[in-house]
Amino acid sequence: MNQKKLLVKLENAGVQRISKWLVKGISFEISQGQIVTLIGPNGSGKTTTAKMILNIMNPDDGQITRNTDKMAYVPQKINIDWTMPLRVIDFMKITNNLNNNQVLKSLTTTGVDKLLYNQIHNLSGGEFQRVLIARAIAKKPDLLVLDEPVQGVDYNGEIALYNLIKK
């Protein structure tokens, strides 16, 4: 049997702020090839848990073992000055050292390669989410964390994004 590489393991992990636990007692593992979905109401700690996994927040309790540094994150919200003239190609390269081939390949994977020279502010919600995912996968991470990837996307766009994530 082919054993998948363990990427991240949380053991009773928790984050506390001002004597209040944001999350506590979180334990699970993520192995290569798995799709893990965290489900819960707003404020239940899904984003905090994701940030612990990504080493953005350190646990105040428990332990996290990471067996990869190649992680990518698609945040729930992103702050962009929508009045700034910014093309998709520029957005893809703004904080990543990507060449044009890497940019085009990841945009093709997410089905938005035709938008390469479009302005970011002209994209629909679904198109922008696909660009965000393309940006995250361009460097071929071992672990991809998506925080509410279908927020602001219509029903047909949701189905398409979930199919893309599965692929």
Side-chain angles (χ1 to χ4, degrees):
M1 181 178 221
N2 190 7
Q3 188 76 3
K4 297 285 186 172
K5 175 183 176 184
L6 178 67
L7 299 174
V8 178
K9 181 177 183 178
L10 288 82
E11 299 175 82
N12 286 315
V15 173
Q16 186 178 30
R17 295 292 182 265
I18 314 169
S19 34
K20 179 183 180 218
W21 288 98
L22 302 180
V23 293
K24 185 169 176 59
I26 306 295
S27 297
F28 64 91
E29 298 177 356
I30 303 173
S31 295
Q32 188 176 29
Q34 275 189 303
I35 296 176
V36 176
T37 304
L38 300 180
I39 299 172
N42 289 343
S44 63
K46 299 179 300 290
T47 298
T48 300
T49 301
K51 288 179 177 180
M52 279 195 301
I53 290 167
L54 293 161
N55 206 19
I56 295 169
M57 294 179 88
N58 294 320
D60 296 306
D61 193 26
Q63 183 176 332
I64 299 178
T65 306
R66 293 176 197 85
N67 295 318
T68 183
D69 290 328
K70 292 181 65 176
M71 298 183 283
Y73 179 50
V74 177
Q76 181 178 6
K77 295 176 184 145
I78 187 166
N79 292 324
I80 292 179
D81 180 353
W82 295 101
T83 63
M84 184 170 66
L86 183 66
R87 300 173 306 169
V88 169
I89 189 170
D90 304 317
F91 176 74
M92 293 287 292
K93 292 179 173 187
I94 205 163
T95 58
N96 291 323
N97 186 20
L98 300 172
N99 63 44
N100 287 348
N101 188 44
Q102 290 171 302
V103 169
L104 190 56
K105 187 173 183 179
S106 65
L107 290 172
T108 300
T109 299
T110 61
V112 289
D113 51 302
K114 67 185 181 303
L115 304 175
L116 186 64
Y117 296 107
N118 287 34
Q119 294 291 319
I120 287 286
H121 66 263
N122 289 333
L123 303 181
S124 70
E127 289 170 335
F128 186 62
Q129 282 301 108
R130 285 174 174 268
V131 168
L132 285 174
I133 294 170
R135 190 169 182 266
I137 65 172
K139 288 224 166 183
K140 300 186 185 289
D142 293 328
L143 178 65
L144 176 61
V145 176
L146 306 165
D147 192 349
E148 296 198 30
V150 295
Q151 183 177 316
V153 178
D154 65 21
Y155 178 75
N156 289 332
E158 279 188 36
I159 300 299
L161 279 171
Y162 281 125
N163 285 332
L164 171 63
I165 291 164
K166 184 178 176 184
K167 177 180 155 189

